Amino acid sequence: MALTGFTVNPVVTSLAVRFAGDAPSLTSALSTFAYNVGIAAGSAIAGMALDSSVGPTGPPLVGTVIAVLPLLPLIALAVSGTSHKARIVAQRTTSNHARCGEPAPSSQGFLMCGEPGT
């Protein structure tokens, strides 16, 4: 867990700063703030679990739940799959006079429009 935490945080912060635009310092501070809030919230929840009826089993249980929660959307996407296939709607041509299904001038292939067969 520590290896993942120490390697993910700098990468996420650098990505946030890259897309920050005019406020890279604020973005860096906010991402660090979010890490610290997560640490504090996880510690507080684990402390409450330790004080509950589950006792010493509480903190590992909380850690397991926190580790599994980010995986739920990924699992849902993997199970649902994709129901449609990608298709080419238009291809860049040098001439605006090409019609659907005709060879596109100075191009590899044909100009595709709409569904296959149209």
Side-chain angles (χ1 to χ4, degrees):
M1 189 167 106
L3 179 64
T4 303
F6 284 122
T7 57
V8 170
N9 294 349
V11 172
V12 171
T13 300
S14 69
L15 285 172
V17 168
R18 181 185 305 169
F19 295 108
D22 294 336
S25 298
L26 177 63
T27 304
S28 177
L30 286 174
S31 66
T32 304
F33 170 75
Y35 299 138
N36 289 324
V37 167
I39 291 168
S43 299
I45 294 169
M48 288 188 286
L50 182 62
D51 195 33
S52 73
S53 62
V54 278
T57 311
L61 183 64
V62 168
T64 303
V65 169
I66 289 174
V68 169
L69 282 177
L71 297 176
L72 293 179
L74 181 63
I75 292 169
L77 285 172
V79 169
S80 70
T82 57
S83 61
H84 64 281
K85 294 182 180 179
R87 60 187 173 93
I88 297 174
V89 176
Q91 186 175 2
R92 183 178 176 176
T93 64
T94 57
S95 171
N96 291 334
H97 301 293
R99 294 172 45 183
C100 295
E102 292 182 358
S106 302
S107 176
Q108 302 290 340
F110 292 86
L111 183 64
M112 301 296 290
C113 302
E115 293 294 328
T118 60

